Amino acid sequence: MNTENQARATASFTLRYQQPSDFHADAVQLLTHLERDEVQFAGKVKQPLAFREGLATLFAIVSSDYRYIPKDRTAYLAFMQMRRSARHQGLAKAYRAYFDWLLRNDPQAWLMLDPIISVHPDGLFLEVFSKDEACYAALALDQDLFETQGKLQFGTTHIDFSPELAQGLEQIRSFRSTHFAVGKTAVNFQTETAPALPDTEIIEKRIQVPQTWIRGLLQVQSAAQLPADIFHLKPIDLYNALRYLRLHADVKGKKRGLRIELVPNQPPRLILEPTDQVIEGSAEPYQGQQAKLIRLWGRRRLSLLKRFLPFAETIEVQVLGHGLPSFWILGGSGMSLTLAITGFTSSNWSQALNFDLLLPRRSETLAELTTVVAALQKVYVATLEELVVTTQLSELVCRTALQQASQQGLVIYDLAHDVYRYRPLTQEPLDMSHFQFRHPAEKLAYDLVARQQAISQLQLNLLPLEGIEISATITVKEDKRDYLAKLKLTEEGQISKASCSCHQIMTQGLSHGACSHLLALRIAYAAQQAKRDLSMITQETRLFTRRHQQQREQIQVTLNHQRLLISRELNQHIKPQQFAFNSVQEARQAYLGKIAQLELSGFIEG
């Protein structure tokens, strides 16, 4: 079986605009894709500064890329030569020349689609996804933010959103009236910097988008419907965290996560690693039933919210678990912004797999999918309860159909307003067979997991305070040989060490990604954990923490067959205890009872 990673497949999109979007004479004109359905909106902005900062935040997110990129002046010199040759062509023709140059010289420069805008009865909805697949953002502009003018045409399309437009938006001022329009052609004004082109001359952006980028966008949007832990912050709490991160640079080799302590009936706490700086929440207490400690990555991306923060009145955070996507919902007067941070990068394939397992993976299409989507298409926006009444389907069937529609790019769940929106990602339906797996190795991994006796019994080795080591022998009948795969997972689920006896890992390591055998081992372990029976465990270690002001008390509880070990640490003083029982069952009952006692006492696992 060939496990070498192939080049990432791409999907080709051609976006055609009559002219570039522009800001001129205190009017913002967003030009839409010519080959999609007509969408129209025009109005006067009631809060120009909030409108400006909302669009500026959206542009900062869509243009963000936190991946390391080495310097290369070859493309820059070629670009400067193209720029000199197109100097006197006018802005519109220069745009077209620039995109043609990108296609010839740097086809990977545009790895993202232009922002998606939906004009709905309750307002406008703009969506973006960053190039590094780490951030998704949705900006909702309510009808109350505008004095609507002219005819409205509901629908979804792409808009031209360039750096030049972002620079023009900076000219918006509160003492001048600002008008806003969306459509295929300019409304009530013509831009001086980009005169309208003849019908035969248009701007084309030919974009090669990786299928993993589209898949990541669909997955993050679908994850918004999963059960999550919810807590609230005040804008000053998030500001304090961002200020500390701005004044303290990350230390190489040190932890850079964001830990969130959630204790019932207590305000949430944000803990910044590695100094364990505690930011006490000042909003309402956490209303959950169980104390939790959740660790997230990508905390620096929260700084993308800095311009929107002064206009935010409430902040709601929804977290799915360790290293999984988190949703930060900022609500203000007449607008709201939802930022989803995936919690992992393309290199952290372990967490990406763990995230995929949370979502349903269906090869067949539900019969009720068409009914639910058709009902939503008529009204554009609806709650789950309204769709249940309209379609006469059960809530479970309706919810499942909406989940699948989200993964197909037909429907989006708006967390800020708790409604579903009809929003087709593309004009033509996506071929979902291209997005079921991230790459060929993942498809082979799921095939190995599905085979009987392909993966031997998993060997688990618990490493206190380090994580767990997993190993198994994987039999591939096509190769007529067995492979020994090993993984070492940290307590947060990250890969700290991986090895396999296959040719790919032996010669290239993980530089070209994980092989199908390591992926199969990770999937098999996740499936085993999901079916784990607490009444059968014989070995396990858990760590619990309770914080009182600046003091931290830690208790480590270990079950080792017929022995129970408890280690308590307070003020750097360690007090160990050991209990022996006559049977494993008695030791297990004492172990689970101790855990329940600690959770009731306000201790958090982790």
Side-chain angles (χ1 to χ4, degrees), residues 411-463:
V411 171
I412 181 68
Y413 178 58
D414 183 0
L415 282 170
H417 299 88
D418 192 21
V419 295
Y420 289 90
R421 299 180 181 274
Y422 176 71
R423 193 273 292 125
L425 181 62
T426 57
Q427 183 72 11
E428 299 296 331
L430 294 171
D431 185 358
M432 298 311 298
S433 62
H434 295 160
F435 307 105
Q436 188 174 7
F437 303 100
R438 294 179 184 272
H439 41 69
E442 184 177 329
K443 182 178 181 180
L444 295 176
Y446 277 96
D447 181 58
L448 288 173
V449 174
R451 298 181 185 181
Q452 292 185 355
Q453 299 180 348
I455 302 177
S456 65
Q457 181 69 28
L458 300 185
Q459 302 296 323
L460 307 180
N461 182 22
L462 292 173
L463 305 174

Side-chain angles (χ1 to χ4, degrees), residues 38-89:
E38 178 71 23
V39 174
Q40 287 186 2
F41 178 87
K44 179 182 177 181
V45 182
K46 296 181 181 179
Q47 302 180 45
L49 292 187
F51 175 76
R52 180 191 70 189
E53 297 306 301
L55 291 182
T57 302
L58 209 64
F59 181 77
I61 294 171
V62 72
S63 59
S64 66
D65 189 352
Y66 284 78
R67 296 173 298 183
Y68 172 73
I69 302 177
K71 292 183 179 180
D72 184 4
R73 292 182 57 84
T74 304
Y76 171 75
L77 295 176
F79 166 73
M80 292 302 296
Q81 182 179 358
M82 180 278 302
R83 186 177 180 181
R84 287 190 293 269
S85 62
R87 180 176 300 171
H88 303 293
Q89 294 184 10

Side-chain angles (χ1 to χ4, degrees), residues 28-245:
V28 179
Q29 176 68 59
L30 298 183
L31 274 296
T32 62
H33 185 20
L34 293 176
E35 296 182 355
R36 294 202 63 167
D37 295 337
E38 178 71 23
V39 174
Q40 287 186 2
F41 178 87
K44 179 182 177 181
V45 182
K46 296 181 181 179
Q47 302 180 45
L49 292 187
F51 175 76
R52 180 191 70 189
E53 297 306 301
L55 291 182
T57 302
L58 209 64
F59 181 77
I61 294 171
V62 72
S63 59
S64 66
D65 189 352
Y66 284 78
R67 296 173 298 183
Y68 172 73
I69 302 177
K71 292 183 179 180
D72 184 4
R73 292 182 57 84
T74 304
Y76 171 75
L77 295 176
F79 166 73
M80 292 302 296
Q81 182 179 358
M82 180 278 302
R83 186 177 180 181
R84 287 190 293 269
S85 62
R87 180 176 300 171
H88 303 293
Q89 294 184 10
L91 181 61
K93 292 183 178 180
Y95 262 63
R96 187 164 56 250
Y98 172 64
F99 293 126
D100 290 340
W101 173 86
L102 275 181
L103 183 64
R104 295 191 306 269
N105 295 274
D106 192 5
Q108 299 299 316
W110 291 89
L111 298 182
M112 56 188 177
L113 289 174
D114 277 339
I116 307 164
I117 187 170
S118 300
V119 179
H120 286 166
D122 61 340
L124 283 77
F125 198 74
L126 294 93
E127 302 171 75
V128 297
F129 193 49
S130 65
K131 186 186 298 186
D132 59 0
E133 305 177 23
C135 294
Y136 162 81
L139 177 65
L141 305 175
D142 299 340
Q143 288 282 10
D144 297 338
L145 191 65
F146 305 96
E147 294 179 5
T148 307
Q149 302 170 350
K151 178 184 177 182
L152 294 179
Q153 183 69 42
F154 302 139
T156 299
T157 185
H158 294 281
I159 56 173
D160 176 59
F161 201 58
S162 62
E164 289 76 11
L165 173 63
Q167 293 177 4
L169 293 175
E170 299 297 334
Q171 303 175 31
I172 295 178
R173 296 293 183 268
S174 59
F175 54 84
R176 294 199 299 260
S177 299
T178 300
H179 295 270
F180 177 63
V182 179
K184 291 185 177 180
T185 57
V187 178
N188 296 331
F189 71 96
Q190 293 289 339
T191 60
E192 296 180 356
T193 56
L197 297 173
D199 294 338
T200 57
E201 296 188 58
I202 58 176
I203 297 173
E204 284 191 357
K205 296 182 183 180
R206 282 166 284 179
I207 305 172
Q208 297 293 329
V209 182
Q211 291 179 357
T212 56
W213 187 92
I214 301 176
R215 186 179 187 275
L217 172 61
L218 299 176
Q219 292 286 75
V220 172
Q221 292 172 341
S222 301
Q225 304 175 54
L226 296 176
D229 293 299
I230 302 175
F231 64 94
H232 296 83
L233 298 172
K234 286 189 176 180
I236 190 63
D237 302 330
L238 183 56
Y239 169 80
N240 289 334
L242 296 181
R243 179 180 181 274
Y244 182 86
L245 292 176

Side-chain angles (χ1 to χ4, degrees), residues 11 20 185 276 290 305 369 401 410 520:
T185 57
D276 285 350
Q290 183 181 2
L305 299 172
L369 176 64
L410 299 174

Side-chain angles (χ1 to χ4, degrees), residues 244-345:
Y244 182 86
L245 292 176
R246 182 171 60 87
L247 297 178
H248 298 80
D250 293 335
V251 180
K252 187 176 181 179
K254 299 290 185 179
K255 292 184 177 181
R256 290 177 287 181
L258 171 64
R259 298 203 308 271
I260 301 174
E261 286 189 0
L262 301 176
V263 180
N265 301 320
Q266 293 186 19
R269 300 185 185 95
L270 305 180
I271 304 174
L272 305 175
E273 298 175 345
T275 58
D276 285 350
Q277 176 69 24
V278 179
I279 307 295
E280 294 280 353
S282 56
E284 61 184 79
Y286 172 60
Q287 300 300 320
Q289 301 297 322
Q290 183 181 2
K292 294 185 178 181
L293 178 64
I294 299 175
R295 188 164 182 254
L296 305 176
W297 289 270
R299 63 185 186 183
R300 289 283 175 183
R301 293 177 174 88
L302 291 175
S303 62
L304 298 171
L305 299 172
K306 60 186 178 183
R307 294 190 62 169
F308 192 88
L309 202 55
F311 300 92
E313 299 173 359
T314 61
I315 299 179
E316 179 182 301
V317 185
Q318 299 189 16
V319 290
L320 299 181
H322 286 297
L324 296 177
S326 58
F327 297 86
W328 302 72
I329 307 166
L330 282 67
S333 177
M335 59 194 305
S336 62
L337 178 67
T338 301
L339 174 66
I341 301 178
T342 59
F344 50 83
T345 61

Side-chain angles (χ1 to χ4, degrees), residues 482-533:
D482 298 338
Y483 298 97
L484 178 61
K486 291 184 179 181
L487 285 177
K488 183 179 178 182
L489 297 179
T490 64
E491 294 178 345
E492 293 85 12
Q494 287 185 306
I495 299 293
S496 60
K497 187 177 180 181
S499 64
C500 182
S501 59
C502 68
H503 179 265
Q504 175 187 339
I505 301 300
M506 294 289 288
T507 57
Q508 301 173 354
L510 293 174
S511 60
H512 289 192
C515 64
S516 59
H517 317 116
L518 289 174
L519 294 175
L521 181 62
R522 182 66 178 89
I523 296 170
Y525 173 70
Q528 185 184 85
Q529 290 298 105
K531 300 177 181 178
R532 189 180 63 155
D533 187 0

